[in-house]
Amino acid sequence: MAPSTAKAKLTVITGPSGVGKGSLVKQLLELHPEIWLSISATTRVPRSGEIEAEHYFFLSHDRFADLVQADGCLEWAEFAGNRYGTPRKPVQQQLSLGRPVLLEIELEGARQVRRSFPEAVQIFLAPPSFEELERRIRGRATETEEAIQRRLVRAKEELMAQKEFDAVVVNDDLQVAVQELESLMGLRS
Ligand code: ADP
Ligand code: 5GP
């Protein structure tokens, strides 16, 4: 499917852990404050510096299960031993206000959104090489060795699925990747 050139309403960004999704999204939001970034719920423990309701809603396993049970997630998935999900209501609200909505989620979640929102633009962010991906995860120094290994195994699976996406952006030079993303989201003339 060809990527949409019209102003996209719902955009999904997926890519292996450490590829630079967070860095890219941060820059995109600085350039385009009109974009609304969904804040996910997760059972993962906060990293140093992460703030409740800004980076994630950090939930216990029980509270996460309650949210899913109440059909409160647009999608959710298990990733490297934790659960992550997109709260449904705020996304619906922002879409109904006509605001561009961005989801930064992993592969299984992107597949679920593809079924419920086939019109969403799905973008895969890829590293220049697997070696560089590993360097970035390690350089970030936020995970234990065990968590890094889990994320690298999962990264291989995610990289194999990149053809499912409407477009692939290689995050080599961050500024170039931001510009490519802006074009795919119809934010550049
Ligand atoms: P993700 O959100 O995909 O897990 P991050 O945004 O946390 O990834 O980036 C992982 C690490 O890679 C961070 O230390 C970040 O500064 C670095 N990084 C991101 N993009 C680039 C890039 N284009 N070139 C070099 N390093 C990068
Ligand atoms: P991290 O623990 O590094 O913040 O995130 C791990 C993975 O979970 C990343 O690939 C990230 O995109 C994904 N993720 C974050 N929020 C969600 C969500 O709401 N749903 C799904 N399916 N994945 C998410």
Side-chain angles (χ1 to χ4, degrees):
M1 187 176 125
S4 167
T5 49
K7 205 164 189 154
K9 280 275 162 56
L10 181 61
T11 304
V12 175
I13 295 184
T14 298
S17 181
V19 70
K21 300 181 297 298
S23 312
L24 187 81
V25 165
K26 187 168 180 283
Q27 292 227 358
L28 188 74
L29 295 183
E30 278 165 16
L31 291 168
H32 301 280
E34 74 276 17
I35 297 172
W36 185 80
L37 174 67
S38 166
I39 300 168
S40 299
T42 183
T43 59
R44 165 165 84 58
V45 293
R47 290 177 185 143
S48 146
E50 282 185 330
I51 298 165
E52 165 70 18
E54 186 179 320
H55 295 95
Y56 280 105
F57 297 106
F58 294 99
L59 304 185
S60 65
H61 284 265
D62 283 353
R63 283 201 57 204
F64 193 97
D66 290 345
L67 183 69
V68 170
Q69 180 72 27
D71 200 25
C73 284
L74 192 73
E75 60 71 35
W76 71 272
E78 194 126 4
F79 180 94
N82 283 297
R83 289 179 174 187
Y84 296 79
T86 304
R88 184 190 297 280
K89 257 193 208 147
V91 170
Q92 287 175 336
Q93 269 165 1
Q94 295 298 325
L95 286 174
S96 69
L97 292 172
R99 221 169 146 185
V101 169
L102 186 60
L103 307 184
E104 189 253 276
I105 60 177
E106 55 67 68
L107 178 62
E108 290 307 324
R111 286 175 170 157
Q112 291 169 41
V113 174
R114 206 173 291 152
R115 291 195 287 272
S116 51
F117 287 88
E119 71 282 12
V121 175
Q122 295 224 344
I123 300 167
F124 189 89
L125 193 62
S129 67
F130 197 80
E131 291 68 30
E132 173 62 11
L133 179 71
E134 184 162 354
R135 245 193 311 276
R136 287 184 193 173
I137 298 188
R138 292 190 182 285
R140 193 172 60 189
T142 48
E143 266 78 32
T144 61
E145 181 59 27
E146 191 207 346
I148 288 173
Q149 290 304 333
R150 282 178 172 199
R151 282 166 185 254
L152 289 173
V153 167
R154 183 71 179 241
K156 286 192 176 138
E157 292 164 11
E158 298 211 320
L159 287 166
M160 282 193 296
Q162 57 184 284
K163 285 201 189 77
E164 292 175 18
F165 287 74
D166 296 322
V168 176
V169 169
V170 177
N171 181 21
D172 191 353
D173 178 321
L174 189 68
Q175 300 315 321
V176 173
V178 170
Q179 286 173 13
E180 285 182 27
L181 196 58
E182 284 180 295
S183 297
L184 289 163
M185 292 177 73
L187 300 167
R188 283 166 79 83
S189 45

